Amino acid sequence: MAITISSFNFKGGVGKTTTTVNLAKALHSLGKRVLVIDADAQGNASKMMGFRLVTEKDGKTLYEAMSGNASIMECVFCENENEESFDFIPSRPNLYQCEQELVSRTGREYILRMMLNNLEDHYDFILIDCPPNYGLVSINAMVASDYLLIPINCEVFALDGMGLITAKYEEIKKLVNPKLEILGYIMSRYDKRLSLHRQAYEQMNQNFPGKVFNTTIRTNIQLAESPAQRMNVFDFAPNCTGAADYMELAKEILSRLDNQ
Ligand SMILES: Nc1ncnc2c1ncn2[C@@H]1O[C@H](COP(=O)(O)OP(=O)(O)O)[C@@H](O)[C@H]1O
Ligand SMILES: [Mg+2]
């Protein structure tokens, strides 16, 4: 049965999408069967995975599944049709409608979780890229998940909002998903030469002992450039530090899960 991990942070620009897509590729290279769900209406992850609205089938995205207009199976695409790769469920701006439409649905927090029951046996990992807010789509992602993976951007007010994330995690765990755990915090755009970044890392370790990954994702130009080419960093620049860091993160996650 798949392990489901949501990449979550209220803030935008902290590395949620970069982490989801590159981690998916790394886990796939390590022999895991992986599905990425783009749960952000901005569709950044979808673009990085090469999704374009070209055929009628391309109109089957997360919104169509969540609103009952398509089966979840119909909405699964392959990241690279030409070689064995990981799968994904894309999103486009109509996912914004979901926030309003879910409000009046019975069991509104559980819609995604119920749908994933049909897919769980096909994958080892389901990675969900969350939007930068705490709406019903994010809540659906957290209710469908076993773990939260929380990217922290060392550059801007790194630790701002950590209390709010913890409070929301505890609320979801208490009220709707008792099995939800925090897999870990991953420091992104990390530069160990900067004392500000080292201090942020130390403070995170003090506040969340054992929960901050040893791996850090260094600032890397190829990580910033690859989305414009609609590629993950492994396909774009396999030898760059971004690829090395995400591979190390994948291995650390696998060993963390093995020890639990
Ligand atoms: N380690 C990194 N080094 C350089 N650029 C990065 C790094 N991580 C992310 N980026 C860039 O920062 C921007 C925001 O990252 P993104 O993953 O889209 O954040 P989020 O999904 O949290 O909004 C993107 O342009 C991305 O390419
Ligand atoms: Mg994003």
Side-chain angles (χ1 to χ4, degrees), residues 9 11-19 40 42 44 129-130 132 151 188-190 217-221 223-227 246:
N9 192 320
K11 282 182 186 251
V14 295
K16 293 183 292 297
T17 301
T18 308
T19 298
D40 186 353
Q42 294 178 85
N44 294 344
D129 188 32
C130 287
S188 179
R189 290 186 175 231
Y190 186 74
I217 310 297
R218 287 167 282 183
T219 303
N220 176 243
I221 187 70
L223 281 174
E225 287 172 350
S226 51
Y246 276 110

Side-chain angles (χ1 to χ4, degrees), residues 101-167:
E101 291 173 12
L102 280 170
V103 173
S104 56
R105 300 253 318 253
T106 308
R108 56 183 170 257
E109 289 102 343
Y110 298 93
I111 309 284
L112 185 60
R113 179 168 170 170
M114 301 294 277
M115 291 185 333
L116 292 190
N117 285 340
N118 300 322
L119 288 177
E120 269 185 333
D121 291 341
H122 296 82
Y123 299 100
D124 300 309
F125 286 95
I126 299 176
L127 305 183
I128 308 179
D129 188 32
C130 287
N133 59 45
Y134 186 65
L136 274 167
V137 173
S138 281
I139 294 174
N140 263 269
M142 287 198 250
V143 171
S145 293
D146 302 294
Y147 294 101
L148 297 184
L149 174 61
I150 302 173
I152 311 285
N153 184 338
C154 296
E155 279 180 8
V156 276
F157 305 111
L159 311 185
D160 252 22
M162 293 312 301
L164 196 56
I165 294 174
T166 309

Side-chain angles (χ1 to χ4, degrees), residues 31-43:
K32 304 295 176 190
R33 298 168 303 162
V34 183
L35 172 72
V36 171
I37 299 178
D38 185 356
D40 186 353
Q42 294 178 85

Side-chain angles (χ1 to χ4, degrees), residues 85-100:
S85 192
F86 63 89
D87 289 344
F88 69 95
I89 296 175
S91 276
R92 53 193 174 117
N94 63 359
L95 190 65
Y96 285 120
Q97 284 167 239
C98 233
E99 296 289 349
Q100 284 94 51

Side-chain angles (χ1 to χ4, degrees), residues 200-254:
Y201 189 78
E202 270 166 36
Q203 200 181 328
M204 282 296 295
N205 262 314
Q206 273 168 21
N207 294 352
F208 305 99
K211 284 289 177 193
V212 186
F213 286 102
N214 294 325
T215 309
T216 52
I217 310 297
R218 287 167 282 183
T219 303
N220 176 243
I221 187 70
Q222 282 84 7
L223 281 174
E225 287 172 350
S226 51
Q229 303 305 317
R230 295 178 171 256
M231 283 164 110
N232 63 70
V233 80
F234 293 90
D235 292 337
F236 179 69
N239 299 319
C240 72
T241 60
D245 290 347
Y246 276 110
M247 183 54 76
E248 200 175 314
L249 177 65
K251 289 178 180 164
E252 192 177 351
I253 286 176
L254 292 179

